[in-house]
Amino acid sequence: MRGWRHSFVAAGAVMFMTSSLLLLLSTSAQAVSQTPTVSNGGPSGQAYTISPPVVTLNTDPGQVVDASINLTDIGQSSLNNTAAVNDFGAKGETGSPNILFGNQTSAYGIGNWVTLPNSFILAPGQTKTITIPITVPKNASPGGHYGVIRFTGSPTTGGLDSVSLSASIGSLIFVNVSGETVTNATLASFSAADQNYTPSSFFQHGPINFITRVQNNGNVIVQPTGTITVKSFFGSTIGTIRVNGNPNSPLNQPGRVLQGTIRRFENSLGQKTLLGRYQASLNLSYGSPTQYIKKNIYFWVIPYTLIIIVLVVLIVLGLGIWFGLKKYKSYILKQARRHR
């Protein structure tokens, strides 16, 4: 029974951490505004808040920097808390995290740099500030490094045979190491797409979707942001779409593109009534000093199904009129012969 309980708890913690990191890596209002993130541990009333969910530190090789994290027990029972650190990377092109468990590490990870705190107990309603030293090696490569520091709380009471799902939550830690950094991003592709996000240059109607894929070739994390401007054949602007968040809004900050990865951004032009040839102009900026990514594409919106239906109707009407006129002419000729 004990082994089954432990397996169930571990599986629950992994599932929660995966969903939490997906939220944090994406263009998350919670992550950027640094409001507390809540973890509901299960039916026993275990729950956490953590703040900030994202910690960004700037330092030099060979230095020690501290990550300060506030953890609050908002559940109904005291929790015995243990800390762990994991490296992570990008899974696919959507920003989903790939948490590295066991002995897995990342070239940009900080798992070996972190000194974890001893286990501690939080009472219901209690908040504890945990200071976590991060020792940057003297030979650390310049640029961005990252990992997740997570906390798992288990009830301080209850028998070994009791079944409960432990609460688990974490903060993403980004450490920017000084030195010779390379900030370089390129456009892997930019295309218009249908409602299923299948790229195309010809459409029957809107809305038109756009797929922007940005590749990070440097050694620092980039956050490209900008717009897609859509113009008609006559040059009038019919729509401007924001790509990857709004840097002027604390609730909609840009998502990150990790080093050596491609991230995909999806946007939509909501207009359904479109006709003709259109130009979509992508204009992204990133880094400091600012660098730009620009690209123009063209697409057609031709409701050919509707056009075919209209043509068929016109042909049918035309044939009907032609046969009607022919029959009428025959009738007139017949009447003329009878009156001779």
Side-chain angles (χ1 to χ4, degrees):
M1 182 67 177
R2 181 190 302 180
W4 178 85
R5 174 181 176 272
H6 288 173
S7 299
F8 182 66
V9 168
V14 170
M15 290 174 64
F16 174 78
M17 284 304 303
T18 301
S19 61
S20 296
L21 279 178
L22 173 59
L23 175 68
L24 293 172
L25 274 178
S26 64
T27 319
S28 166
Q30 267 192 328
V32 180
S33 63
Q34 299 194 358
T35 55
T37 302
V38 179
S39 165
N40 292 316
S44 61
Q46 305 163 36
Y48 276 140
T49 64
I50 194 168
S51 179
V54 177
V55 178
T56 302
L57 303 169
N58 300 302
T59 188
D60 302 319
Q63 299 298 308
V64 179
V65 290
D66 292 331
S68 183
I69 299 173
N70 297 311
L71 194 65
T72 302
D73 181 353
I74 60 171
Q76 302 169 6
S77 60
S78 295
L79 296 175
N80 185 35
N81 303 273
T82 57
V85 60
N86 297 90
D87 291 347
F88 68 86
K91 183 178 181 180
E93 296 185 1
T94 61
S96 300
N98 181 28
I99 309 172
L100 304 180
F101 292 98
N103 296 324
Q104 299 180 83
T105 60
S106 165
Y108 301 99
I110 62 170
N112 297 326
W113 301 2
V114 175
T115 301
L116 294 171
N118 296 324
S119 60
F120 56 92
I121 293 176
L122 278 180
Q126 180 185 358
T127 297
K128 181 178 178 63
T129 299
I130 304 102
T131 300
I132 300 174
I134 300 174
T135 304
V136 181
K138 293 181 179 180
N139 62 346
S141 61
H145 299 264
Y146 37 86
V148 55
I149 297 175
R150 54 190 180 87
F151 298 89
T152 301
S154 57
T156 56
T157 58
L160 291 176
D161 292 336
S162 63
V163 177
S164 63
L165 180 62
S166 295
S168 183
I169 201 166
S171 287
L172 297 183
I173 311 297
F174 292 92
V175 180
N176 299 316
V177 180
S178 64
E180 187 176 346
T181 59
V182 177
T183 304
N184 177 263
T186 55
L187 186 65
S189 66
F190 173 52
S191 58
D194 62 18
Q195 296 182 52
N196 297 318
Y197 283 93
T198 301
S200 179
S201 297
F202 294 91
F203 305 92
Q204 291 200 61
H205 54 75
I208 307 299
N209 296 320
F210 296 96
I211 303 171
T212 306
R213 298 170 62 245
V214 177
Q215 180 170 344
N216 186 350
N217 307 303
N219 61 4
V220 297
I221 298 169
V222 297
Q223 295 175 279
T225 183
T227 59
I228 298 171
T229 302
V230 181
K231 293 185 178 182
S232 70
F233 177 78
F234 302 102
S236 60
T237 299
I238 66 168
T240 300
I241 310 164
R242 193 80 204 178
V243 180
N244 191 22
N246 184 351
N248 297 319
S249 170
L251 299 179
N252 193 12
Q253 291 292 312
R256 295 171 170 85
V257 185
L258 304 182
Q259 303 97 311
T261 68
I262 295 176
R263 182 157 181 177
R264 172 187 175 114
F265 302 99
E266 297 179 351
N267 301 94
S268 180
L269 178 69
Q271 285 93 327
K272 291 186 177 181
T273 306
L274 299 169
L275 179 64
R277 182 176 182 265
Y278 295 88
Q279 173 183 289
S281 300
L282 175 70
N283 188 355
L284 300 179
S285 62
Y286 68 94
S288 180
T290 304
Q291 299 183 52
Y292 296 95
I293 296 174
K294 297 184 179 183
K295 177 75 173 181
N296 292 332
I297 60 172
Y298 299 89
F299 62 93
W300 288 82
V301 181
I302 301 176
Y304 48 84
T305 300
L306 179 60
I307 292 174
I308 291 173
I309 293 174
V310 172
L311 287 176
V312 169
V313 171
L314 291 176
I315 291 171
V316 170
L317 288 174
L319 290 174
I321 293 172
W322 184 78
F323 281 113
L325 290 174
K326 185 176 180 181
K327 188 173 182 181
Y328 179 72
K329 180 180 179 181
S330 176
Y331 171 79
I332 295 297
L333 291 174
K334 185 182 295 185
Q335 291 297 320
R337 292 192 194 100
R338 290 179 60 183
H339 288 86
R340 286 181 180 177

